[in-house]
Amino acid sequence: MATPEFVLALREHIGTAPLALVGTTAIVFRDEKVLLGKRADNGAWQPIAGIVEPGEEPADAAARECLEEAGIVVSVDRLALVQQLPRITYGNGDQVDYLDLVFRCSWVSGVPHPADGELTEVDFYDLAAMGDIDQAQVRKIALAMAEDDPAHFRGGRVRR
């Protein structure tokens, strides 16, 4: 996965210390199928995801990532889930805490293809035929499937 330039610049100042980043996951539907890609780095199947650039609207980031990674144009329809992912420590020691904003999206145009090297395969799939999807990804897809549900989140309780 390509690391954005702004993250590399921050790493020059903070080293491998935990860095809070906002990410997006685009759950893209076309007919009764969902867009999934096979990651080049670890072979995992997942929806399109990426980091929000400084000053960028998160929904715009989701649409941008779909075009950059899968070569398709999408409309971003609604926020489905807001969640803090468990801290990730990469092989080089960099630590990241991602706030993941999951959006329900609809395909507009384009033929899915691995557009930037981050994915080795990408297409629309019937979920019933996909057995190799992590349960965390299945949950994101399930929450995005309902067209009118409000966004889901954890926390927000008053603590005394």
Side-chain angles (χ1 to χ4, degrees), residues 46-121:
Q46 67 178 48
I48 303 299
I51 297 172
V52 178
E53 298 283 342
E56 184 178 35
E57 289 290 337
D60 292 340
R64 174 182 51 77
E65 290 289 345
C66 288
L67 186 58
E68 288 178 359
E69 293 184 14
I72 64 166
V73 175
V74 302
S75 68
V76 179
D77 303 326
R78 75 172 182 85
L79 182 64
L81 173 65
V82 176
Q83 66 178 347
Q84 181 65 48
L85 299 178
R87 179 168 290 158
I88 296 172
T89 301
Y90 291 100
N92 65 357
D94 287 353
Q95 300 173 67
V96 180
D97 294 328
Y98 288 104
L99 177 64
D100 185 27
L101 306 176
V102 180
F103 291 97
R104 177 191 172 95
C105 303
S106 299
W107 173 85
V108 173
S109 65
V111 177
H113 63 279
D116 68 357
E118 293 189 31
L119 304 172
T120 59
E121 299 175 48

Side-chain angles (χ1 to χ4, degrees), residues 124-148:
F124 287 95
Y125 294 95
D126 182 342
L127 284 179
M130 297 294 295
D132 296 337
I133 303 174
D134 179 85
Q135 286 304 305
Q137 304 301 334
V138 171
R139 177 175 183 261
K140 291 178 188 183
I141 294 166
L143 291 173
M145 285 179 85
E147 293 184 41
D148 298 322

